[in-house]
């Protein structure tokens, strides 16, 4: 696990000292030693590395990492360049096209969003190869809930995007009236047509940020 050196350190250090995190750390270390685990261990905290707490403008909550080779790299919904774009991300790109006119790119690499202040946070940060949700209930949720609470406490306007029932279960954690919480069905092919398409979250996000004097997100991912 690559060390966290930015302003998230204050938040995560408190978690690192908790008994649950010692159990989680031992479990994850053993899994990497004995199984094929995604993402690569040095990428586990990429969402925090790329988006410092003080720079968060948007929070998108995912569930757990992609579990096929070469996909997961620590940002929810994102895959490395050269990897086939997953179905949910294809639907996100379609909504971006319909909502704000973004051209659909040839890759699923969302690092550009992260560097602009979009915290792409999975609730669970590791997974066994080919076994979705295999690391749920081991302690990651407690860790990422602490991240979410830290975002909610920020004294600046932030847009929270909760897609699907799993993410929307986090809704009670958001109590700061300065933030805008947007909810929609998950962008997966199973549910996108139930209201993700047409939710206009990306334009609503930028309209809100600009109304608060905050620079909008450039959602266009380049080829």
């Amino acid at each position: 696990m690559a060390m966290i050196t930015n302003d998230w350190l204050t938040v995560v250090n408190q978690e690192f000292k908790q008994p649950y995190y010692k159990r989680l750390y031992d479990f994850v270390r053993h899994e990497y030693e004995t199984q094929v685990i995604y993402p690569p261990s040095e990428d586990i905290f990429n969402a925090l590395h790329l988006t410092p707490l003080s720079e968060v403008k948007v929070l998108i909550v995912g569930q757990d990492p992609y579990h096929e080779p070469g996909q997961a790299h620590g940002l929810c919904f994102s895959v490395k360049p050269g990897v086939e774009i997953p179905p949910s991300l294809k639907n996100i790109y379609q909504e971006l096209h319909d909502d704000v006119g973004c051209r659909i790119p040839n890759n699923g690499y969302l690092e550009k969003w992260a560097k602009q202040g979009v915290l792409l946070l999975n609730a669970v940060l590791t997974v066994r190869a080919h076994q979705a949700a295999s690391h749920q209930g081991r302690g990651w949720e407690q860790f990422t809930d602490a991240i979410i609470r830290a975002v909610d406490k920020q004294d600046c306007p932030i847009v929270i995007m909760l897609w699907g029932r799993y993410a929307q279960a986090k809704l009670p954690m958001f109590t700061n009236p300065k933030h805008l919480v947007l909810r929609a069905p998950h962008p997966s092919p199973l549910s996108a047509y139930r209201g993700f398409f047409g939710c206009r979250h990306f334009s609503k996000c930028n309209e809100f940020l600009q109304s608060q004097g905050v620079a909008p997100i450039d959602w266009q991912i380049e080829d």
Side-chain angles (χ1 to χ4, degrees):
M1 301 184 193
M3 288 296 296
I4 295 167
T5 57
N6 60 18
D7 59 1
W8 282 112
L9 195 57
T10 303
V11 176
V12 298
N13 267 346
Q14 296 173 30
E15 299 306 305
F16 291 162
K17 297 172 185 174
Q18 301 297 319
Y20 86 86
Y21 193 86
K22 173 66 163 62
R23 294 190 297 272
L24 170 64
Y25 180 86
D26 290 343
F27 166 75
V28 170
R29 184 176 63 181
H30 183 260
E31 286 284 283
Y32 274 99
E33 290 171 352
T34 60
Q35 306 287 335
V36 177
I37 305 298
Y38 301 126
S41 60
E42 63 271 18
D43 290 342
I44 291 174
F45 295 129
N46 268 355
L48 305 183
H49 294 314
L50 291 167
T51 313
L53 176 58
S54 59
E55 296 177 17
V56 174
K57 297 179 179 180
V58 181
L59 168 62
I60 299 177
V61 178
Q63 193 161 349
D64 66 341
Y66 295 123
H67 51 80
E68 296 302 323
Q71 292 181 313
H73 66 103
L75 304 180
C76 72
F77 293 106
S78 180
V79 292
K80 285 281 188 75
V83 177
E84 184 178 357
I85 301 171
S88 292
L89 184 53
K90 286 182 180 178
N91 288 339
I92 290 170
Y93 283 163
Q94 186 63 52
E95 176 60 18
L96 272 166
H97 173 74
D98 296 345
D99 183 15
V100 295
C102 285
R103 180 181 42 77
I104 295 176
N106 65 1
N107 69 89
Y109 193 46
L110 305 183
E111 185 178 86
K112 177 182 175 180
W113 293 1
K115 289 182 174 179
Q116 292 180 81
V118 181
L119 181 60
L120 296 164
L121 182 70
N122 277 316
V124 176
L125 298 184
T126 54
V127 69
R128 278 190 188 184
H130 319 302
Q131 297 181 44
S134 49
H135 283 187
Q136 284 188 12
R138 294 289 186 164
W140 278 130
E141 295 91 342
Q142 189 169 341
F143 180 82
T144 55
D145 279 356
I147 300 299
I148 290 171
R149 282 192 294 272
V151 170
D152 189 59
K153 288 177 183 174
Q154 289 297 96
D155 189 31
C156 58
I158 294 172
V159 179
I160 318 296
M161 296 185 185
L162 303 177
W163 299 335
R165 283 181 292 180
Y166 186 91
Q168 288 171 23
K170 306 291 184 184
L171 183 62
M173 300 181 68
F174 298 103
T175 59
N176 190 332
K178 292 194 172 186
H179 303 333
L180 173 66
V181 180
L182 301 173
R183 289 178 283 171
H186 196 275
S188 79
L190 294 173
S191 55
Y193 287 95
R194 298 179 192 156
F196 179 79
F197 290 136
C199 70
R200 301 190 64 244
H201 278 191
F202 304 102
S203 59
K204 289 176 181 176
C205 169
N206 279 352
E207 288 164 7
F208 174 77
L209 293 175
Q210 289 177 295
S211 75
Q212 303 296 313
V214 179
I217 304 298
D218 175 8
W219 296 107
Q220 180 66 62
I221 299 295
E222 284 74 30
D223 286 340

